Amino acid sequence: MRVAEAWRVALDALRANRMRSLLTMLGVVIGVAAVVALVAIGTGTKQQIERQVEGLGSNLLIVVPGRLEAGAAPTSSPLTLDDADAVSRVVGDRSRVAVTIASGETVRAGSRSGFASMQGVLETTPTVFVRELNRGAYLTRTDVSTGRRVAVLGAGVARTLFGDRDPIGRQITIGGVRFRVIGAFEPLGQSLGVDRDNEVHVPVTAAQRLLGTDRIDGLAIRAPDRDRIDQLGRDVVATLADRHPDTDFSAVTQEQILGVLGDILGVLTGVLAAIAGISLLVGGVGVSNIMLVSVRERTREIGLRKAVGARPRDIGVQFLLEAVLLTTTGGVLGMLLGAGTALLVDGLSPVPAALTWWSMALAFGVSAGVGIIFGVVPAQRAGRLDPVVALRTE
Amino acid sequence: MTTPAIVATGVTRVYQLDGFSVPALRGVSLTVEPGDYLAIVGTSGSGKSTLMHLLGGLDRPTGGTLLIGGRDVAGLTPNELAELRNSTIGFVFQSFHLLARTTAQDNVGLPLVYRGIGRRERRARATAMLDRVGLAHRVTHRPNQLSGGEQQRVAIARALVTGPSLLLADEPTGNLDSATGRSILTLLESLNAEGVAIVLVTHDREVAARADRQILMKDGLIVESVPGTAD
Ligand SMILES: Nc1ncnc2c1ncn2[C@@H]1O[C@H](COP(=O)(O)OP(=O)(O)OP(=O)(O)O)[C@@H](O)[C@H]1O
Ligand SMILES: [Mg+2]
């Protein structure tokens, strides 16, 4: 009964000062909204990256020169196609090994042109990675061994150069060199921030001749089964280290990539949420401030309530509830605002956002906690007021 | 044998003001029996309100002993004191002290909140008490929609709603015209006739004369105690 009355009084007090209550809430609203929206964006991005990494194919082992650590300088690759052959022997199956050498090049067809990522690859690429053709055919082993100037276009490149027309059999130039289009990929979208539809696949040998090098950037292996993937990685790295004693090599699996990216994103999301949390704290200070004002304004009311039998705790609870009501209302509004912002960002921008129930629950809990923490001092002060002194206050 | 409502023995109250000691009461001894009707008179600043606050359990004496309903105030916790104010004492303030945004009925029902009584019952009891003080037609009015006399009657109804055995009234007629003041007094006296002990502070000799006993205060002391002259 006393608590019901305390709720009623607290609600009444907030309603009597509607504008002030709203402004006080604003700090909490913004803080909670920022936390919810930022966590949603962080979560959405993480989920998207996970989907993309998994979309590369299963049991993948990616081998690159250099150490795979945050902050490690990129190492120039000493790898050649001979190394790829050596790795194929370790794996025991040439069709499970893919290589790339990539370079950004201008592509042109008639009057249309664009900028694309040329990928010099083996004919094994579609079996190692998940890559679906939309029309035409992929590169053959002969194309690779003879360095034939044929190309398979990403969906975006095909659209840029040919619009709705069928590109198969047409001539294009890559970096000024003529190639014949033999196939086109299904649209794939973004992957790890790279537009996969902007790729042009050509035989690695043709790419090397065009770039005037015999190097490759790295290789990828599809392991026969999950259990052998780590052992295979160690064997491949040992083989390559044997052949190039001056260079470190790293073999990473999808799980490792996901782990590293997840950690980075987790830290980033955490930092952003903490910054947003600071505004929640500032909002809390505002609540504390306004509650002190409220106690002062209602000193006579407090005196009277005590005179007719309110215990210190009754008064304290009343003011604490007022503070908690203030921050939790702000918390709910902030949750709605944050969720709305997240959905808007997800819908209208390329940044993905995914709402999670725990971030909403956390934000609500924190806002209630802020109310308690920042309301307790004013509430105690109100509860301890001397009734006679309080009644005399003007 | 009944316990006296109040027994004060050598009660002092010293206020601290900017490092100075202001003795407002300098040794007051007083007994109020159940059903008493007592008037306190005295010049301004003589300590009447200070004494009333002590008798009402709103304040604690600096020295001496004060028993309210047989319990020593010095030994009571703030919660016990609040409970005492709520259960045995009704206090009527000179300046009414009604909650501004609250109806007459909810003002009157306020003490019942702290007894843990539900709203429906509070309103029923408050309405009955407002009827008792002749305000049955003003139940849902707010203080600013009431006259001074009506506000004072709401305050009296609030003091009575818990059924106290002692009613303390600090200049209950001070702000009212004499006709309204008389009707308030008549109300208090009818309560007294039902057995409620009444202590009232007044500046009005005529009002004081109606009490069973008059107490004259001066400079924080009781200087004279005389039986009333009215019937
Ligand atoms: N909170 C306080 N701090 C300091 N001095 C106080 C305080 N309250 C009262 N006094 C002093 O105590 C003395 C008695 O005050 P009190 O209010 O009891 O007088 P009173 O008899 O009720 O006067 P009045 O008839 O004007 O209401 C006065 O001198 C007053 O200045
Ligand atoms: Mg006074």
Side-chain angles (χ1 to χ4, degrees):
Chain A
M1 235 50 71
R2 288 164 183 234
V3 175
E5 171 73 6
W7 272 114
R8 211 171 291 135
V9 172
L11 251 173
D12 239 39
L14 295 186
R15 252 194 251 129
N17 291 303
R18 216 164 276 154
M19 194 64 196
R20 186 169 87 184
S21 305
L22 275 176
L23 287 176
T24 309
M25 270 178 213
L26 205 58
V28 178
V29 172
I30 291 172
V32 168
V35 170
V36 168
L38 286 172
V39 169
I41 288 170
T43 309
T45 308
K46 194 169 164 180
Q47 286 176 355
Q48 191 188 48
I49 287 175
E50 280 168 7
R51 273 198 307 275
Q52 288 169 353
V53 171
E54 275 154 15
L56 290 176
S58 52
N59 297 347
L60 262 190
L61 194 65
I62 290 159
V63 183
V64 288
R67 281 183 196 285
L68 201 85
E69 286 167 2
T75 313
S76 72
S77 172
L79 294 173
T80 65
L81 282 174
D82 292 341
D83 295 311
D85 288 340
V87 169
S88 295
R89 281 193 294 279
V90 173
V91 176
D93 184 353
R94 181 184 143 87
S95 74
R96 291 188 173 276
V97 179
V99 307
T100 60
I101 175 164
S103 170
E105 300 292 341
T106 301
V107 291
R108 197 181 295 279
S111 60
R112 300 210 199 198
S113 70
F115 196 72
S117 167
M118 179 188 71
Q119 308 262 326
V121 294
L122 298 176
E123 80 286 356
T124 55
T125 299
T127 45
V128 175
F129 297 101
V130 177
R131 214 68 219 263
E132 300 284 334
L133 278 185
N134 174 283
R135 49 173 28 128
Y138 200 68
L139 311 172
T140 62
R141 186 164 184 175
T142 319
D143 291 335
V144 173
S145 58
T146 58
R148 197 173 284 160
R149 294 202 303 276
V150 290
V152 179
L153 304 185
V157 180
R159 172 153 292 277
T160 307
L161 296 186
F162 298 103
D164 289 332
R165 288 177 298 148
D166 186 358
I168 307 299
R170 295 185 187 268
Q171 296 287 329
I172 60 168
T173 63
I174 302 174
V177 178
R178 280 155 61 102
F179 281 79
R180 186 166 52 85
V181 178
I182 59 166
F185 287 118
E186 281 286 346
L188 205 63
Q190 297 253 329
S191 178
L192 305 178
V194 177
D195 183 1
R196 303 286 304 277
D197 293 332
N198 197 35
E199 290 176 358
V200 176
H201 286 206
V202 300
V204 60
T205 41
Q208 283 175 334
R209 198 180 322 138
L210 193 146
L211 297 172
T213 178
D214 60 353
R215 300 294 160 93
I216 56 174
D217 293 339
L219 28 87
I221 299 151
R222 184 196 281 275
D225 59 77
R226 185 165 288 256
D227 304 334
R228 279 189 47 207
I229 200 162
D230 290 327
Q231 184 56 46
L232 192 60
R234 280 192 292 276
D235 292 348
V236 168
V237 167
T239 306
L240 292 177
D242 241 19
R243 297 167 59 88
H244 303 278
D246 302 335
T247 313
D248 290 318
F249 291 93
S250 307
V252 290
T253 61
Q254 276 150 304
E255 281 89 42
Q256 285 168 318
I257 296 176
L258 280 179
V260 171
L261 289 174
D263 287 352
I264 294 172
L265 265 172
V267 169
L268 229 104
T269 307
V271 167
L272 286 176
I275 291 171
I278 290 175
S279 94
L280 205 57
L281 211 69
V282 174
V285 173
V287 170
S288 213
N289 194 21
I290 224 67
M291 288 311 298
L292 286 172
V293 171
S294 181
V295 169
R296 169 148 299 180
E297 277 177 355
R298 283 150 64 202
T299 302
R300 258 152 55 102
E301 175 191 328
I302 295 166
L304 176 77
R305 286 178 181 274
K306 291 195 127 184
V308 300
R311 295 169 302 177
R313 217 186 57 186
D314 294 323
I315 301 294
V317 164
Q318 178 190 322
F319 279 91
L320 199 58
L321 275 183
E322 189 176 324
V324 170
L325 205 60
L326 203 60
T327 57
T328 48
T329 309
V332 170
L333 291 180
M335 239 156 67
L336 295 177
L337 185 67
T341 307
L343 292 179
L344 224 69
V345 164
D346 194 52
L348 300 183
S349 81
V351 178
L355 289 170
T356 49
W357 67 268
W358 65 262
S359 75
M360 312 269 270
L362 183 80
F364 184 79
V366 166
S367 66
V370 164
I372 291 172
I373 291 165
F374 289 93
V376 83
V377 168
Q380 271 180 349
R381 182 171 290 196
R384 279 203 287 258
L385 276 177
D386 182 86
V388 175
V389 174
L391 279 170
R392 284 213 175 144
T393 317
E394 279 319 309
Chain B
M1 205 197 104
T2 56
T3 331
I6 286 173
V7 182
T9 322
V11 165
T12 62
R13 177 68 171 97
V14 181
Y15 293 110
Q16 296 297 330
L17 196 66
D18 302 330
F20 289 98
S21 294
V22 182
L25 293 179
R26 299 190 293 148
V28 169
S29 300
L30 174 74
T31 304
V32 180
E33 299 290 348
D36 260 1
Y37 182 13
L38 207 77
I40 301 177
V41 290
T43 51
S44 186
S46 57
K48 304 183 298 294
S49 293
T50 304
L51 179 59
M52 291 293 268
H53 292 147
L54 289 174
L55 301 185
L58 290 169
D59 196 8
R60 292 168 198 261
T62 312
T65 56
L66 172 63
L67 308 183
I68 301 178
R71 303 172 75 190
D72 190 345
V73 167
L76 298 181
T77 65
N79 283 350
E80 287 169 332
L81 217 49
E83 154 78 23
L84 187 71
R85 292 196 289 265
N86 189 252
S87 61
T88 55
I89 297 163
F91 209 110
V92 181
F93 300 93
Q94 183 172 3
S95 45
F96 319 144
H97 288 316
L98 300 177
L99 298 184
R101 285 181 282 106
T102 309
T103 60
Q105 147 183 266
D106 286 341
N107 262 297
V108 172
L110 190 64
L112 299 177
V113 167
Y114 301 107
R115 275 195 183 187
I117 291 172
R119 181 146 78 158
R120 190 187 298 264
E121 163 132 26
R122 289 205 304 265
R123 289 194 163 160
R125 287 212 220 167
T127 307
M129 201 46 75
L130 282 169
D131 189 24
R132 178 75 212 277
V133 299
L135 285 179
H137 57 305
R138 295 284 186 267
V139 168
T140 55
H141 285 231
R142 288 167 210 282
N144 60 2
Q145 299 162 332
L146 296 169
S147 75
E150 286 171 336
Q151 290 185 47
Q152 189 61 299
R153 278 191 277 170
V154 171
I156 292 173
R158 181 180 61 198
L160 293 174
V161 77
T162 54
S165 53
L166 173 63
L167 186 72
L168 302 168
D170 194 350
E171 299 190 45
T173 59
N175 293 329
L176 309 175
D177 64 81
S178 54
T180 315
R182 262 195 306 281
S183 81
I184 299 267
L185 276 182
T186 311
L187 174 63
L188 293 183
E189 282 158 12
S190 74
L191 290 165
N192 181 238
E194 289 166 25
V196 179
I198 293 183
V199 178
L200 84 94
V201 170
T202 181
H203 279 117
D204 189 333
R205 285 273 162 193
E206 217 174 293
V207 170
R210 296 168 68 144
D212 297 339
R213 196 152 49 107
Q214 289 184 47
I215 282 169
L216 178 63
M217 288 192 71
K218 198 181 172 197
D219 293 338
L221 290 170
I222 294 177
V223 293
E224 205 187 339
S225 181
V226 294
T229 52
D231 66 309

